[in-house]
Amino acid sequence: MSSVLFLSIIGILFVHSAGSYWSEVHYKGQLPFALKQGSYLIVGILGAFLIQNNGLIRLPTFWRVLYLVSIALLVGVLIPGIGVVRNGSQSWISLGFMNFQPAELAKIAVLGVLASALANEKKSKSKVYIQSAVLLILPIGLIMLQPDFGSAFVLVVGVFFLLFAAGLPMKFFAAIGMSGIIAFVLLIVSAPYRLVRIQAFLDPWKDPLGSGFQAIQSLLAIGPAGLFGFGYGNSRQKFLYLPEPQNDFIFSILLEETGFIGGLIVITAFVMFFSTSFTMAARAKTREAQLMIIGFTSLLVVQTFLNMGVVTGLLPVTGVTLPFISYGGSSLVMTWGIIGIILNLANTSSNEGRR
């Protein structure tokens, strides 16, 4: 898992580069983003180490309790005075030293409880379908009320891959696909700004100072970078052209400063991590470990692809962080928590295999 440590260090470097000017203008006198990110990384690594050696991860009761806690937090974040509003979304709870995003915990809890349930399920297939739907619909509904379409989408697709790995029949996925299309249409009708985002994706230059602004500025960062970019710290788009470049669009700044070669190195590190994780899943001795590793790895695959797709103009703009690299305490700590869970399950399976 040295690849994830490499990605996290790259993240700190580019949080510093991408966010330095934004921090100076909007957060003058506060702790620099890079120092905060470094402290989050330390907490995340320590948490991963504790989780890696904790037997609770292998108990179904643990996942049920975590699921209920995440639901309670998702409800709490919607209560005025508890939830913190930022960029139009009420998705955070202030802890004083950082803002915690319950959706990050919910993604882990839902996949964990669902994988545990599927692995230990002895009911009929129809009951499995109902159970899966119930476990997913409640947190998705609460996340959409924030609203946070990006987190909801990542969770739904992650669950899709988990159910596919569990061996559910294709007709089930056909039903999910039809339901997804209907839900997508209803989401657009209920919030027309989502249609505006799709139109901006198709033609960002139609509204270059409005709905197409972020997409255009991201492409202006990436396009001229060439093979090797402009050099570390020499981004131009971070000077208030690209809003909060240390967050969702940090990959744009990374490509601008390191070019195609730098982007290829980062993508290779992600591929190495995903390959290693799926290999661990293939070698797992228990069905529960296998499903959990596949589910958590798929979650990060989807999130990585979605973020990179957005910043390169392949997908409509939506707010999703790049795992290990984007600035944010909740994202980084929870992602390292997933690393701890994967290592725990992989080590447990290896030990059971030697007995």
Side-chain angles (χ1 to χ4, degrees), residues 14 17 225 228-235 238 253-254 256-259:
F14 280 92
S17 177
F228 301 102
F230 297 106
Y232 179 74
N234 293 328
S235 164
K238 68 181 180 182
I253 305 302
L254 188 150
E256 185 182 18
E257 295 186 352
T258 65

Side-chain angles (χ1 to χ4, degrees), residues 120-184:
N120 298 288
E121 189 57 67
K122 296 182 176 60
K123 302 175 183 176
S124 65
K125 289 184 178 179
S126 60
K127 291 184 178 179
V128 173
Y129 303 157
I130 295 172
Q131 183 181 46
S132 300
V134 170
L135 289 173
L136 181 60
I137 288 173
L138 181 56
I140 288 297
L142 292 171
I143 291 172
M144 288 303 300
L145 288 175
Q146 297 178 9
D148 184 357
F149 179 78
S151 292
F153 180 82
V154 169
L155 177 55
V156 168
V157 179
V159 167
F160 181 92
F161 281 111
L162 172 60
L163 296 176
F164 183 80
L168 272 66
M170 292 306 298
K171 63 181 180 180
F172 176 74
F173 296 103
I176 288 181
M178 291 300 298
S179 301
I181 293 173
I182 295 171
F184 182 73

Side-chain angles (χ1 to χ4, degrees), residues 12-352:
I12 293 175
L13 291 175
F14 280 92
V15 163
H16 170 70
S17 177
S20 56
Y21 189 73
W22 187 272
S23 175
E24 181 65 23
V25 172
H26 295 281
Y27 300 94
K28 191 176 181 63
Q30 297 187 27
L31 198 65
F33 291 138
L35 288 180
K36 288 183 179 179
Q37 188 78 346
S39 64
Y40 300 149
L41 177 58
I42 293 172
V43 172
I45 291 175
L46 290 175
F49 177 78
L50 293 174
I51 292 171
Q52 181 183 354
N53 297 282
N54 195 320
L56 290 175
I57 298 299
R58 300 184 291 278
L59 300 177
T61 303
F62 169 81
W63 293 108
R64 289 194 286 268
V65 171
L66 189 66
Y67 178 83
L68 294 175
V69 169
S70 70
I71 294 298
L73 290 173
L74 288 175
V75 172
V77 79
L78 297 173
I79 300 174
I82 297 179
V84 176
V85 179
R86 182 181 177 188
N87 296 330
S89 295
Q90 190 166 322
S91 303
W92 292 267
I93 294 176
S94 177
L95 301 179
F97 61 94
M98 66 175 285
N99 288 333
F100 174 70
Q101 191 172 9
E104 295 293 335
L105 178 63
K107 288 187 285 189
I108 296 175
V110 170
L111 284 169
V113 73
L114 188 54
S116 178
L118 289 169
N120 298 288
E121 189 57 67
K122 296 182 176 60
K123 302 175 183 176
S124 65
K125 289 184 178 179
S126 60
K127 291 184 178 179
V128 173
Y129 303 157
I130 295 172
Q131 183 181 46
S132 300
V134 170
L135 289 173
L136 181 60
I137 288 173
L138 181 56
I140 288 297
L142 292 171
I143 291 172
M144 288 303 300
L145 288 175
Q146 297 178 9
D148 184 357
F149 179 78
S151 292
F153 180 82
V154 169
L155 177 55
V156 168
V157 179
V159 167
F160 181 92
F161 281 111
L162 172 60
L163 296 176
F164 183 80
L168 272 66
M170 292 306 298
K171 63 181 180 180
F172 176 74
F173 296 103
I176 288 181
M178 291 300 298
S179 301
I181 293 173
I182 295 171
F184 182 73
V185 173
L186 291 175
L187 286 172
I188 292 176
V189 172
S190 63
Y193 75 87
R194 295 191 180 103
L195 179 59
V196 173
R197 285 189 175 183
I198 294 175
Q199 292 171 335
F201 162 67
L202 297 174
D203 184 12
W205 295 98
K206 185 176 182 180
D207 186 12
L209 298 179
S211 58
F213 183 77
Q214 283 182 302
I216 290 172
Q217 297 305 316
S218 180
L219 293 177
L220 289 176
I222 297 169
L227 274 178
F228 301 102
F230 297 106
Y232 179 74
N234 293 328
S235 164
R236 296 171 293 185
Q237 292 303 110
K238 68 181 180 182
F239 292 106
L240 306 185
Y241 293 104
L242 194 59
E244 298 201 48
Q246 73 279 0
N247 289 333
D248 300 344
F249 282 84
I250 193 170
F251 193 56
S252 303
I253 305 302
L254 188 150
L255 291 174
E256 185 182 18
E257 295 186 352
T258 65
F260 175 80
I261 299 300
L264 184 61
I265 291 172
V266 169
I267 292 173
T268 300
F270 273 111
V271 171
M272 290 174 60
F273 161 56
F274 297 145
S275 172
T276 301
S277 295
F278 283 126
T279 299
M280 289 179 177
R283 293 176 178 174
K285 302 300 181 182
T286 66
R287 179 173 169 79
E288 185 172 21
Q290 184 179 62
L291 289 179
M292 283 195 182
I293 295 173
I294 289 174
F296 290 128
T297 305
S298 297
L299 183 77
L300 297 180
V301 170
V302 172
Q303 188 162 328
T304 300
F305 176 78
L306 184 58
N307 178 277
M308 291 184 175
V310 166
V311 303
T312 54
L314 297 176
L315 296 171
V317 172
T318 186
V320 173
T321 58
L322 182 59
F324 305 108
I325 294 180
S326 290
Y327 172 73
S330 295
S331 176
L332 187 60
V333 171
M334 291 295 106
T335 305
W336 270 94
I338 289 176
I339 299 302
I341 295 170
I342 291 174
L343 291 175
N344 182 305
L345 296 169
N347 291 339
T348 300
S349 296
S350 297
N351 292 336
E352 288 178 353

